[in-house]
Amino acid sequence: MSKNIVVVGATSGIARALCHELGQDGNRLLLAGRTREELDKCAADLQVRYHADVWVELFEALDFATHAAFFERCLARFDGELDGFVLCHGYMTNQETTEQDWDEAQRTIDVNFTSTVSLLMLAANYFELRKKGYIVALSSVAGDRGRMSNYTYGAAKAGLSAYLQGLRNRLHRAGVQVLTVKPGLVDTPMTAGLLDPQSPLVATPEKIARDINQAIHKRKDTLYSPWFWRFIMGLIRVLPERVSKRLKL
């Protein structure tokens, strides 16, 4: 059955691939992001490939005062009938930059955590009243344990994962699914220059998108993608602090 779905951060690598998955399923999509031109290109591609109903809406993560109006525009586009709300926007720079530049550290925290909570508050209240629907948010395996290589980004994602866990406990009573997605290393424009795309640990956005779509249909709570990251992070989480301090993780 066709559903009405909002995808925030729709021009990111994983979101683009996920929109193709959702478009193939015959869903109606509202793509939200910062750049009108890129949004229009994504929408036109989906319309041509899948004959999908697709709209676009501008969204600025750090302009918190506009979030409520943005969410109202999303609802209005679907005549008040929203089924899914997917948050894919994010920001990552290298760890050294966030150690020296407060503006970059704050941007990392606010885009990845604060802005997401701002939107989730609106979406959660809406779905709780309707007693149905789903929320998907991209966290990261980086939030599973603080490591010297990316602890500012990881701290923002750790906060988001904890928030989603609590939100899931709350909305379970209303029958609303809250899916926490924890991708590992993914070859996207956001990670360009930071990862080796030839590494066997690096996945494509298309792989992550397929896993997310399946997890939505199976009503999962948490998704590690690819699957082996659940075990990798399980090992890293149990490392004693005295050992992890000596490793360059």
Side-chain angles (χ1 to χ4, degrees):
M1 182 179 175
S2 178
K3 294 184 180 301
N4 300 328
I5 303 169
V6 174
V7 180
V8 180
T11 59
S12 70
I14 293 175
R16 284 175 187 256
L18 180 58
C19 286
H20 281 272
E21 292 287 326
L22 297 172
Q24 289 181 64
D25 289 347
N27 295 300
R28 292 180 290 273
L29 304 175
L30 189 152
L31 313 183
R34 299 177 61 194
T35 309
R36 170 72 69 176
E37 184 178 2
E38 286 300 309
L39 290 169
D40 286 340
K41 287 181 181 177
C42 291
D45 187 33
L46 294 167
Q47 288 162 344
V48 169
R49 289 176 184 268
Y50 313 117
H51 305 290
D53 291 327
V54 186
W55 297 271
V56 302
E57 191 70 52
L58 290 176
F59 168 75
E60 173 53 63
L62 298 182
D63 193 354
F64 301 108
T66 65
H67 288 188
F70 163 74
F71 190 74
E72 287 302 318
R73 291 197 300 275
C74 294
L75 291 180
R77 177 63 69 184
F78 292 124
D79 296 324
E81 297 291 328
L82 184 60
D83 300 294
F85 197 67
V86 182
L87 300 180
C88 298
H89 67 290
Y91 178 73
M92 183 166 67
T93 185
N94 64 66
Q95 174 60 33
E96 290 76 12
T97 299
T98 67
E99 293 170 8
Q100 304 297 327
D101 186 334
W102 166 244
D103 288 341
E104 283 296 294
Q106 185 176 32
R107 182 179 179 84
T108 299
I109 294 167
D110 282 346
V111 173
N112 292 301
F113 179 68
T114 316
S115 71
T116 308
V117 172
S118 173
L119 287 176
L120 286 172
M121 183 184 69
L122 299 165
N125 291 338
Y126 168 80
F127 286 123
E128 188 172 43
L129 284 175
R130 285 172 52 86
K131 299 190 181 304
K132 63 179 182 178
Y134 67 78
I135 292 170
V136 177
L138 265 61
S139 185
S140 170
V141 297
D144 280 13
R145 180 157 188 176
R147 291 170 291 127
M148 64 178 291
S149 59
N150 64 351
Y151 61 84
T152 306
Y153 176 80
K157 291 298 189 181
L160 176 59
S161 291
Y163 185 90
L164 290 167
Q165 190 172 36
L167 187 64
R168 180 160 47 248
N169 291 180
R170 168 190 159 194
L171 295 184
H172 173 72
R173 291 161 178 76
V176 178
Q177 179 192 13
V178 178
L179 172 61
T180 304
V181 180
K182 296 185 178 183
L185 305 177
V186 188
D187 182 19
T188 67
M190 188 173 77
T191 60
L194 302 175
L195 300 177
D196 174 7
Q198 302 304 316
S199 168
L201 294 179
V202 176
T204 64
E206 289 74 20
K207 163 61 178 170
I208 309 299
R210 287 194 297 273
D211 287 350
I212 293 172
N213 199 25
Q214 290 175 5
I216 293 171
H217 287 291
K218 294 179 179 178
R219 294 187 65 80
K220 286 188 174 181
D221 294 331
T222 302
L223 169 69
Y224 282 85
S225 181
W227 61 270
F228 52 76
W229 281 100
R230 178 183 294 277
F231 298 97
I232 293 174
M233 297 313 300
L235 292 173
I236 291 177
R237 280 198 304 271
V238 300
L239 274 178
E241 193 76 27
R242 64 179 181 280
V243 175
S244 68
K245 285 191 295 186
R246 292 178 170 81
L247 300 176
K248 293 184 177 180
L249 293 176

